[in-house]
Amino acid sequence: MSSNAEAAATGNGGHPTNGLSDTVHQRNRLGILTIAAEAERVEVAYLRDALELTAGNLSRHLAVLEEADLIQIERGYHGRRPKTWIRITEQGQAALAAEISALRELLRRHQELGGASRPTG
C-alpha cells in the first residue's frame, strides 16, 4: 500500500482521496486491472468488448498500465490467429489493492458522516 493510501486508511493524515492513484483510478484502467485480477490472463478482445472501448483507446490504456509495470502484455497465436493477452503483475495487484483500500476508506468515511454534504465554515 502506498504511504498516501496508508495515511488515508489509518486516518493519520489527509483525505482518503489522497490514496487514489491517477494511473489506476481512471475508469477504464481500473476496469482493466479488476478484470485482469480475476483471471490468470485476459484476451485483449474480451477487454475491448467488456469495457466498450475502441481498439485504439484500449491500446492507449494498456500502454499506460504497461509503462507503470502494472500489467504484462503477451502476444501469441491461438491456432493461426494472432492474439494478445494481458496479465496483472504483482505491482499491479498491489496498486489495485491500495486503490480498493482507499475507496473503502472513502466509502466508510462517507457512510459515517451520514452521506450528507456538510458545508464548511
Side-chain angles (χ1 to χ4, degrees), residues 18-39:
N18 293 339
L20 298 175
S21 162
D22 290 339
T23 301
V24 175
H25 193 73
Q26 197 283 339
R27 179 179 66 87
N28 295 314
R29 292 193 289 265
L30 184 59
I32 292 165
L33 290 173
T34 56
I35 291 169
E38 296 170 357

PDB file of all heavy atoms in Angstrom, residues 18-39:
ATOM      1  N   ASN A  18      -6.592  11.130  -1.218  1.00  0.00           N
ATOM      2  CA  ASN A  18      -5.144  11.255  -1.405  1.00  0.00           C
ATOM      3  C   ASN A  18      -4.498   9.906  -1.679  1.00  0.00           C
ATOM      4  O   ASN A  18      -3.394   9.850  -2.205  1.00  0.00           O
ATOM      5  CB  ASN A  18      -4.488  11.908  -0.182  1.00  0.00           C
ATOM      6  CG  ASN A  18      -4.896  13.354  -0.020  1.00  0.00           C
ATOM      7  OD1 ASN A  18      -5.343  13.997  -0.959  1.00  0.00           O
ATOM      8  ND2 ASN A  18      -4.772  13.860   1.189  1.00  0.00           N
ATOM      9  N   GLY A  19      -5.179   8.817  -1.318  1.00  0.00           N
ATOM     10  CA  GLY A  19      -4.660   7.482  -1.552  1.00  0.00           C
ATOM     11  C   GLY A  19      -4.994   6.924  -2.922  1.00  0.00           C
ATOM     12  O   GLY A  19      -4.562   5.824  -3.267  1.00  0.00           O
ATOM     13  N   LEU A  20      -5.763   7.669  -3.712  1.00  0.00           N
ATOM     14  CA  LEU A  20      -6.129   7.205  -5.049  1.00  0.00           C
ATOM     15  C   LEU A  20      -4.997   7.493  -6.032  1.00  0.00           C
ATOM     16  O   LEU A  20      -4.396   8.555  -6.000  1.00  0.00           O
ATOM     17  CB  LEU A  20      -7.417   7.874  -5.522  1.00  0.00           C
ATOM     18  CG  LEU A  20      -8.659   7.593  -4.668  1.00  0.00           C
ATOM     19  CD1 LEU A  20      -9.842   8.405  -5.170  1.00  0.00           C
ATOM     20  CD2 LEU A  20      -8.996   6.117  -4.628  1.00  0.00           C
ATOM     21  N   SER A  21      -4.733   6.541  -6.900  1.00  0.00           N
ATOM     22  CA  SER A  21      -3.690   6.675  -7.906  1.00  0.00           C
ATOM     23  C   SER A  21      -4.284   7.205  -9.205  1.00  0.00           C
ATOM     24  O   SER A  21      -5.266   6.658  -9.707  1.00  0.00           O
ATOM     25  CB  SER A  21      -3.057   5.302  -8.162  1.00  0.00           C
ATOM     26  OG  SER A  21      -2.349   5.294  -9.378  1.00  0.00           O
ATOM     27  N   ASP A  22      -3.690   8.233  -9.766  1.00  0.00           N
ATOM     28  CA  ASP A  22      -4.169   8.759 -11.043  1.00  0.00           C
ATOM     29  C   ASP A  22      -4.071   7.706 -12.143  1.00  0.00           C
ATOM     30  O   ASP A  22      -4.905   7.657 -13.032  1.00  0.00           O
ATOM     31  CB  ASP A  22      -3.388  10.013 -11.450  1.00  0.00           C
ATOM     32  CG  ASP A  22      -3.715  11.210 -10.564  1.00  0.00           C
ATOM     33  OD1 ASP A  22      -4.787  11.214  -9.923  1.00  0.00           O
ATOM     34  OD2 ASP A  22      -2.892  12.136 -10.507  1.00  0.00           O
ATOM     35  N   THR A  23      -3.056   6.868 -12.081  1.00  0.00           N
ATOM     36  CA  THR A  23      -2.883   5.828 -13.102  1.00  0.00           C
ATOM     37  C   THR A  23      -3.953   4.765 -12.980  1.00  0.00           C
ATOM     38  O   THR A  23      -4.552   4.355 -13.964  1.00  0.00           O
ATOM     39  CB  THR A  23      -1.484   5.180 -12.979  1.00  0.00           C
ATOM     40  OG1 THR A  23      -0.500   6.188 -13.146  1.00  0.00           O
ATOM     41  CG2 THR A  23      -1.282   4.091 -14.017  1.00  0.00           C
ATOM     42  N   VAL A  24      -4.208   4.308 -11.776  1.00  0.00           N
ATOM     43  CA  VAL A  24      -5.157   3.206 -11.554  1.00  0.00           C
ATOM     44  C   VAL A  24      -6.593   3.683 -11.564  1.00  0.00           C
ATOM     45  O   VAL A  24      -7.477   2.999 -12.068  1.00  0.00           O
ATOM     46  CB  VAL A  24      -4.847   2.486 -10.214  1.00  0.00           C
ATOM     47  CG1 VAL A  24      -5.880   1.419  -9.903  1.00  0.00           C
ATOM     48  CG2 VAL A  24      -3.447   1.899 -10.226  1.00  0.00           C
ATOM     49  N   HIS A  25      -6.856   4.847 -11.021  1.00  0.00           N
ATOM     50  CA  HIS A  25      -8.233   5.275 -10.779  1.00  0.00           C
ATOM     51  C   HIS A  25      -9.021   5.599 -12.048  1.00  0.00           C
ATOM     52  O   HIS A  25     -10.248   5.537 -12.026  1.00  0.00           O
ATOM     53  CB  HIS A  25      -8.264   6.472  -9.830  1.00  0.00           C
ATOM     54  CG  HIS A  25      -9.636   6.749  -9.306  1.00  0.00           C
ATOM     55  ND1 HIS A  25     -10.241   5.947  -8.376  1.00  0.00           N
ATOM     56  CD2 HIS A  25     -10.529   7.705  -9.620  1.00  0.00           C
ATOM     57  CE1 HIS A  25     -11.447   6.412  -8.130  1.00  0.00           C
ATOM     58  NE2 HIS A  25     -11.648   7.477  -8.861  1.00  0.00           N
ATOM     59  N   GLN A  26      -8.372   5.904 -13.110  1.00  0.00           N
ATOM     60  CA  GLN A  26      -9.099   6.202 -14.348  1.00  0.00           C
ATOM     61  C   GLN A  26     -10.026   5.024 -14.630  1.00  0.00           C
ATOM     62  O   GLN A  26      -9.631   3.860 -14.541  1.00  0.00           O
ATOM     63  CB  GLN A  26      -8.090   6.428 -15.479  1.00  0.00           C
ATOM     64  CG  GLN A  26      -8.635   7.119 -16.690  1.00  0.00           C
ATOM     65  CD  GLN A  26      -9.475   6.223 -17.585  1.00  0.00           C
ATOM     66  OE1 GLN A  26      -9.390   5.006 -17.553  1.00  0.00           O
ATOM     67  NE2 GLN A  26     -10.301   6.844 -18.390  1.00  0.00           N
ATOM     68  N   ARG A  27     -11.286   5.292 -14.930  1.00  0.00           N
ATOM     69  CA  ARG A  27     -12.337   4.275 -15.032  1.00  0.00           C
ATOM     70  C   ARG A  27     -11.947   3.066 -15.868  1.00  0.00           C
ATOM     71  O   ARG A  27     -12.102   1.929 -15.441  1.00  0.00           O
ATOM     72  CB  ARG A  27     -13.617   4.911 -15.596  1.00  0.00           C
ATOM     73  CG  ARG A  27     -14.765   3.926 -15.756  1.00  0.00           C
ATOM     74  CD  ARG A  27     -16.005   4.613 -16.289  1.00  0.00           C
ATOM     75  NE  ARG A  27     -15.863   5.110 -17.634  1.00  0.00           N
ATOM     76  CZ  ARG A  27     -16.090   4.390 -18.732  1.00  0.00           C
ATOM     77  NH1 ARG A  27     -16.447   3.133 -18.645  1.00  0.00           N
ATOM     78  NH2 ARG A  27     -15.951   4.922 -19.918  1.00  0.00           N
ATOM     79  N   ASN A  28     -11.435   3.283 -17.063  1.00  0.00           N
ATOM     80  CA  ASN A  28     -11.113   2.160 -17.942  1.00  0.00           C
ATOM     81  C   ASN A  28      -9.911   1.368 -17.440  1.00  0.00           C
ATOM     82  O   ASN A  28      -9.888   0.146 -17.513  1.00  0.00           O
ATOM     83  CB  ASN A  28     -10.883   2.647 -19.379  1.00  0.00           C
ATOM     84  CG  ASN A  28     -12.152   3.209 -19.969  1.00  0.00           C
ATOM     85  OD1 ASN A  28     -13.217   2.619 -19.865  1.00  0.00           O
ATOM     86  ND2 ASN A  28     -12.056   4.377 -20.567  1.00  0.00           N
ATOM     87  N   ARG A  29      -8.916   2.053 -16.909  1.00  0.00           N
ATOM     88  CA  ARG A  29      -7.751   1.345 -16.377  1.00  0.00           C
ATOM     89  C   ARG A  29      -8.107   0.559 -15.123  1.00  0.00           C
ATOM     90  O   ARG A  29      -7.627  -0.557 -14.914  1.00  0.00           O
ATOM     91  CB  ARG A  29      -6.603   2.325 -16.139  1.00  0.00           C
ATOM     92  CG  ARG A  29      -6.058   2.869 -17.462  1.00  0.00           C
ATOM     93  CD  ARG A  29      -4.745   3.571 -17.306  1.00  0.00           C
ATOM     94  NE  ARG A  29      -4.825   4.836 -16.628  1.00  0.00           N
ATOM     95  CZ  ARG A  29      -4.935   6.018 -17.228  1.00  0.00           C
ATOM     96  NH1 ARG A  29      -4.987   6.100 -18.556  1.00  0.00           N
ATOM     97  NH2 ARG A  29      -4.976   7.128 -16.527  1.00  0.00           N
ATOM     98  N   LEU A  30      -8.989   1.107 -14.296  1.00  0.00           N
ATOM     99  CA  LEU A  30      -9.471   0.372 -13.131  1.00  0.00           C
ATOM    100  C   LEU A  30     -10.230  -0.874 -13.586  1.00  0.00           C
ATOM    101  O   LEU A  30     -10.066  -1.957 -13.019  1.00  0.00           O
ATOM    102  CB  LEU A  30     -10.357   1.268 -12.265  1.00  0.00           C
ATOM    103  CG  LEU A  30     -10.878   0.685 -10.957  1.00  0.00           C
ATOM    104  CD1 LEU A  30      -9.728   0.264 -10.050  1.00  0.00           C
ATOM    105  CD2 LEU A  30     -11.780   1.694 -10.258  1.00  0.00           C
ATOM    106  N   GLY A  31     -11.005  -0.740 -14.637  1.00  0.00           N
ATOM    107  CA  GLY A  31     -11.717  -1.894 -15.202  1.00  0.00           C
ATOM    108  C   GLY A  31     -10.762  -2.952 -15.722  1.00  0.00           C
ATOM    109  O   GLY A  31     -10.947  -4.146 -15.485  1.00  0.00           O
ATOM    110  N   ILE A  32      -9.740  -2.529 -16.431  1.00  0.00           N
ATOM    111  CA  ILE A  32      -8.739  -3.461 -16.966  1.00  0.00           C
ATOM    112  C   ILE A  32      -8.079  -4.230 -15.826  1.00  0.00           C
ATOM    113  O   ILE A  32      -7.969  -5.462 -15.864  1.00  0.00           O
ATOM    114  CB  ILE A  32      -7.683  -2.717 -17.806  1.00  0.00           C
ATOM    115  CG1 ILE A  32      -8.310  -2.175 -19.096  1.00  0.00           C
ATOM    116  CG2 ILE A  32      -6.491  -3.626 -18.117  1.00  0.00           C
ATOM    117  CD1 ILE A  32      -7.468  -1.126 -19.811  1.00  0.00           C
ATOM    118  N   LEU A  33      -7.644  -3.512 -14.794  1.00  0.00           N
ATOM    119  CA  LEU A  33      -6.959  -4.164 -13.676  1.00  0.00           C
ATOM    120  C   LEU A  33      -7.877  -5.095 -12.901  1.00  0.00           C
ATOM    121  O   LEU A  33      -7.459  -6.186 -12.503  1.00  0.00           O
ATOM    122  CB  LEU A  33      -6.348  -3.120 -12.739  1.00  0.00           C
ATOM    123  CG  LEU A  33      -5.150  -2.361 -13.301  1.00  0.00           C
ATOM    124  CD1 LEU A  33      -4.738  -1.246 -12.352  1.00  0.00           C
ATOM    125  CD2 LEU A  33      -3.983  -3.295 -13.584  1.00  0.00           C
ATOM    126  N   THR A  34      -9.117  -4.697 -12.668  1.00  0.00           N
ATOM    127  CA  THR A  34     -10.014  -5.570 -11.909  1.00  0.00           C
ATOM    128  C   THR A  34     -10.353  -6.826 -12.697  1.00  0.00           C
ATOM    129  O   THR A  34     -10.388  -7.915 -12.133  1.00  0.00           O
ATOM    130  CB  THR A  34     -11.298  -4.855 -11.467  1.00  0.00           C
ATOM    131  OG1 THR A  34     -11.961  -4.306 -12.600  1.00  0.00           O
ATOM    132  CG2 THR A  34     -10.998  -3.753 -10.466  1.00  0.00           C
ATOM    133  N   ILE A  35     -10.556  -6.710 -13.989  1.00  0.00           N
ATOM    134  CA  ILE A  35     -10.824  -7.887 -14.815  1.00  0.00           C
ATOM    135  C   ILE A  35      -9.590  -8.784 -14.847  1.00  0.00           C
ATOM    136  O   ILE A  35      -9.680 -10.001 -14.692  1.00  0.00           O
ATOM    137  CB  ILE A  35     -11.273  -7.492 -16.237  1.00  0.00           C
ATOM    138  CG1 ILE A  35     -12.671  -6.853 -16.189  1.00  0.00           C
ATOM    139  CG2 ILE A  35     -11.265  -8.700 -17.170  1.00  0.00           C
ATOM    140  CD1 ILE A  35     -13.111  -6.197 -17.481  1.00  0.00           C
ATOM    141  N   ALA A  36      -8.422  -8.188 -15.020  1.00  0.00           N
ATOM    142  CA  ALA A  36      -7.182  -8.971 -15.067  1.00  0.00           C
ATOM    143  C   ALA A  36      -6.910  -9.678 -13.745  1.00  0.00           C
ATOM    144  O   ALA A  36      -6.356 -10.776 -13.728  1.00  0.00           O
ATOM    145  CB  ALA A  36      -6.007  -8.072 -15.443  1.00  0.00           C
ATOM    146  N   ALA A  37      -7.305  -9.064 -12.639  1.00  0.00           N
ATOM    147  CA  ALA A  37      -7.085  -9.672 -11.322  1.00  0.00           C
ATOM    148  C   ALA A  37      -7.978 -10.892 -11.110  1.00  0.00           C
ATOM    149  O   ALA A  37      -7.694 -11.718 -10.254  1.00  0.00           O
ATOM    150  CB  ALA A  37      -7.323  -8.640 -10.226  1.00  0.00           C
ATOM    151  N   GLU A  38      -9.036 -11.012 -11.888  1.00  0.00           N
ATOM    152  CA  GLU A  38      -9.978 -12.118 -11.741  1.00  0.00           C
ATOM    153  C   GLU A  38      -9.565 -13.361 -12.520  1.00  0.00           C
ATOM    154  O   GLU A  38     -10.173 -14.411 -12.358  1.00  0.00           O
ATOM    155  CB  GLU A  38     -11.373 -11.677 -12.211  1.00  0.00           C
ATOM    156  CG  GLU A  38     -11.969 -10.569 -11.362  1.00  0.00           C
ATOM    157  CD  GLU A  38     -13.221  -9.958 -11.961  1.00  0.00           C
ATOM    158  OE1 GLU A  38     -13.625 -10.347 -13.082  1.00  0.00           O
ATOM    159  OE2 GLU A  38     -13.801  -9.077 -11.317  1.00  0.00           O
ATOM    160  N   ALA A  39      -8.559 -13.246 -13.356  1.00  0.00           N
ATOM    161  CA  ALA A  39      -8.169 -14.372 -14.213  1.00  0.00           C
ATOM    162  C   ALA A  39      -6.650 -14.453 -14.313  1.00  0.00           C
ATOM    163  O   ALA A  39      -5.942 -13.489 -14.018  1.00  0.00           O
ATOM    164  CB  ALA A  39      -8.766 -14.180 -15.614  1.00  0.00           C
TER     165      ALA A  39
END
